[in-house]
Amino acid sequence: LCCLLLYFQCHCFLLLYSERLCLLLVYSQCLCLLLLYSQCLCCLLVYFQCLCFLPVYSQRLCLLLVCSQRLCLRLLYSQCLWLLLLYSPHLCLLLLYSQRLSLLLVYSQ
């Protein structure tokens, strides 16, 4: 295992590395970035002021999450399923798709 931690004023930088895992964390007052990588999984979290961005990827699953104060978007993909959720204060959209089922739901005020 290799570990590196740097702290400068309001910024923190952390790196962990081994044969099976890599983790990177960057943190400050207005930004948080987390990257996790292994042989079967990749995950990135970015949080900046009012926005959150999270993609997760593996051999069997892909997930994307984007959130802010006005909008939330979630996309989930696997070998047999698609799921999309879009949410805002005035609109909700849900799309679900698989080999046996398709569903679309739209709700608005």
Side-chain angles (χ1 to χ4, degrees):
L1 180 67
C2 176
C3 177
L4 173 65
L5 173 63
L6 296 174
Y7 186 79
F8 177 72
Q9 293 177 352
C10 299
H11 303 289
C12 178
F13 177 83
L14 173 66
L15 175 64
L16 292 174
Y17 180 78
S18 70
E19 293 178 359
R20 297 183 177 182
L21 178 69
C22 179
L23 179 113
L24 171 66
L25 173 65
V26 179
Y27 181 79
S28 70
Q29 289 179 341
C30 58
L31 173 69
C32 179
L33 186 142
L34 174 65
L35 173 63
L36 177 65
Y37 179 78
S38 69
Q39 294 176 345
C40 58
L41 177 69
C42 181
C43 174
L44 171 69
L45 170 64
V46 180
Y47 184 81
F48 178 72
Q49 293 175 353
C50 299
L51 179 67
C52 179
F53 176 76
L54 173 65
V56 178
Y57 178 77
S58 70
Q59 293 176 348
R60 297 182 177 180
L61 177 69
C62 182
L63 169 74
L64 174 64
L65 171 65
V66 180
C67 270
S68 70
Q69 289 179 338
R70 297 184 176 186
L71 177 69
C72 183
L73 170 72
R74 291 181 185 148
L75 175 63
L76 175 66
Y77 174 75
S78 69
Q79 293 176 347
C80 56
L81 178 69
W82 268 92
L83 174 68
L84 172 67
L85 174 63
L86 178 65
Y87 179 79
S88 73
H90 303 290
L91 177 69
C92 179
L93 184 135
L94 173 66
L95 174 62
L96 178 65
Y97 178 78
S98 69
Q99 293 175 346
R100 297 181 179 176
L101 176 68
S102 294
L103 173 69
L104 174 63
L105 174 65
V106 179
Y107 174 76
S108 130
Q109 294 179 346

